[in-house]
Amino acid sequence: MSLLEEISERREEIAKKWCDLVFSTYPVETQKVWKSNKDRFTNPVGAAIRKVTAQLLDLVIDWDNGDAIAECLDELVKIRTVQDFAPSKSLSFALELKKLIREQFFEKLKKENSLDELLAFETRIDNLGLIAFDVYTKNRDLISQMRIDEVKRAYHMILRRANKIEDASAKGAGQV
């Protein structure tokens, strides 16, 4: 059985382990809540992480639709972009999959002299990380632009209020 076939066969188990690795990047109390509460309404972030890790694993196995991979990554990367993580930690989930696959299959593939299959799959994961970096950068730029726009709006409101106050004081001074 090839590595891709074996990963496909064990995809639910691997997706769950990968999800747990993503959860492990959060504080312990957060992990407990996200792992125990599977309701997407009361735990939207935990539900999104579960959903995206499962979908991404399928997409990496198939590796035939880069747009679908980027779209799926966008959901998880958006969450991690707005959280207080360094960029490297935000995107570490891709490398966690690489580590997981290596732990699960390295010895078996080594015995079968099939490490080339592992290297090929790891290349997919490396590319997943690069796509995630592009998505992260796009989202980070969007957040920065939103902050700039908010400062501009606040500054504009301050100027409008200052002009109204100035106008009111000028009218009041002329009437006395």
Side-chain angles (χ1 to χ4, degrees):
M1 180 182 302
S2 75
L3 176 62
L4 286 176
E5 292 169 340
E6 199 163 339
I7 292 171
S8 292
E9 191 174 281
R10 294 177 50 195
R11 76 170 240 358
E12 285 183 34
E13 168 200 347
I14 292 169
K16 184 186 179 323
K17 286 181 179 180
W18 187 24
C19 180
D20 288 342
L21 288 170
V22 175
F23 284 152
S24 74
T25 63
Y26 291 94
V28 175
E29 289 304 314
T30 304
Q31 290 177 46
K32 288 178 186 175
V33 171
W34 287 355
K35 285 181 180 182
S36 64
N37 183 351
K38 297 185 180 183
D39 182 53
R40 67 183 179 114
F41 295 107
T42 59
N43 182 13
V45 175
I49 291 170
R50 273 188 200 82
K51 180 183 95 174
V52 170
T53 51
Q55 289 175 345
L56 273 175
L57 184 59
D58 288 339
L59 290 167
V60 172
I61 291 167
D62 294 339
W63 202 257
D64 61 356
N65 189 341
D67 291 338
I69 291 169
E71 187 177 312
C72 190
L73 275 169
D74 191 57
E75 188 173 352
L76 179 56
V77 172
K78 274 182 183 173
I79 291 168
R80 294 178 69 86
T81 302
V82 298
Q83 293 171 332
D84 195 21
F85 286 143
S88 59
K89 190 169 182 179
S90 291
L91 302 176
S92 66
F93 66 88
L95 298 177
E96 293 293 342
L97 176 60
K98 188 174 184 176
K99 176 182 160 188
L100 175 62
I101 296 297
R102 190 172 283 202
E103 287 173 355
Q104 297 292 311
F105 299 102
F106 181 80
E107 290 301 322
K108 177 185 178 287
L109 292 170
K110 184 178 175 183
K111 288 177 187 172
E112 296 172 356
N113 281 334
S114 299
L115 286 177
D116 56 326
E117 289 183 61
L118 179 62
L119 293 174
F121 195 78
E122 285 182 349
T123 300
R124 291 180 184 193
I125 298 170
D126 291 339
N127 287 323
L128 177 74
L130 293 173
I131 296 168
F133 181 75
D134 289 342
V135 171
Y136 177 87
T137 303
K138 178 190 76 167
N139 284 309
R140 195 63 175 217
D141 290 347
L142 179 64
I143 290 168
S144 295
Q145 188 59 50
M146 290 168 61
R147 287 180 178 153
I148 290 168
D149 292 345
E150 182 59 32
V151 168
K152 285 180 181 178
R153 274 191 296 279
Y155 182 71
H156 179 69
M157 291 301 295
I158 289 169
L159 287 177
R160 273 181 58 196
R161 288 182 181 155
N163 286 338
K164 285 183 180 180
I165 292 170
E166 191 176 298
D167 289 345
S169 64
K171 287 180 188 176
Q175 292 177 351
V176 178

